[in-house]
């Protein structure tokens, strides 16, 4: 279980750092802002990345999402009560499984996301969310 928690922590830490990189003007996996938006946001008509402040709000939230599994298995100290840790794991499972499942629903198809986001989402983003979500489920029910 420690390995699952640690892998989730590493994955989400990398994703948090990637968001910080974008907040400070990084363009990968695009080559300019518009191509980056098409790859990671994918909403039709959106041409610019979210503002710095909004992206930087997301960074600690993603990092915290990776920290909770470490707390759950006892690899990191908790700053919350046992009840709030339990609730956080429930919320994280719902968020990651919901985000992963959403991409394969008819609603997501009707939203007509731009390419390459639509393809990247079904090929990488959604499966990664499902993998993290299932990892959280395994951790939750192993305790």
């Amino acid at each position: 279980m420690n390995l699952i928690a640690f892998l989730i922590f590493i994955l989400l830490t990398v994703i948090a750092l990637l968001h910080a990189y974008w907040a400070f003007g990084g363009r990968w996996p695009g080559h300019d802002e518009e191509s980056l938006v098409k790859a990671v946001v994918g909403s039709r008509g959106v041409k610019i990345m979210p503002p710095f402040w909004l992206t930087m709000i997301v960074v600690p939230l993603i990092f915290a999402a990776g920290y909770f599994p470490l707390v759950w298995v006892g690899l990191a100290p908790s700053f919350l009560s046992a009840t709030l840790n339990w609730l956080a794991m429930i919320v994280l499972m719902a968020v990651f499984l919901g985000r992963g499942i959403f991409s394969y629903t008819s609603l997501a198809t009707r939203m007509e996301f731009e390419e390459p986001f639509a393809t990247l989402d079904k090929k990488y983003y959604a499966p990664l969310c499902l993998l993290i979500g299932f990892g959280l489920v395994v951790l939750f029910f192993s305790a």
Side-chain angles (χ1 to χ4, degrees):
M1 293 305 118
N2 289 357
L3 180 61
I4 293 171
F6 187 70
L7 289 174
I8 291 171
F9 171 74
I10 294 298
L11 277 169
L12 291 177
T13 297
V14 168
I15 292 168
L17 291 171
L18 189 55
H19 280 75
Y21 165 77
W22 292 332
F24 283 98
R27 296 294 178 240
W28 181 85
H31 53 83
D32 59 16
E33 187 167 21
E34 189 172 342
S35 65
L36 176 64
V37 169
K38 286 182 178 185
V40 300
V41 177
S43 297
R44 294 214 181 269
V46 176
K47 303 288 185 210
I48 60 171
M49 288 295 285
F52 173 85
W53 66 269
L54 183 58
T55 306
M56 288 306 291
I57 288 173
V58 172
V59 171
L61 294 175
I62 296 171
F63 180 80
Y67 185 81
F68 274 102
L70 295 178
V71 169
W72 193 258
V73 298
L75 292 177
S78 176
F79 304 102
L80 302 174
S81 68
T83 301
L84 288 177
N85 285 331
W86 181 85
L87 184 59
M89 285 293 283
I90 295 286
V91 168
L92 289 173
M93 287 186 295
V95 166
F96 282 99
L97 290 173
R99 167 59 180 89
I101 291 167
F102 171 78
S103 294
Y104 301 105
T105 65
S106 61
L107 177 58
T109 303
R110 286 194 307 267
M111 292 180 75
E112 298 179 358
F113 291 108
E114 285 197 68
E115 288 297 341
F117 177 86
T119 299
L120 292 170
D121 186 44
K122 284 194 173 53
K123 193 172 183 180
Y124 300 110
Y125 307 153
L128 182 59
C129 286
L130 288 171
L131 183 65
I132 292 168
F134 284 123
L136 291 167
V137 168
V138 168
L139 291 176
F140 184 80
F141 288 106
S142 71

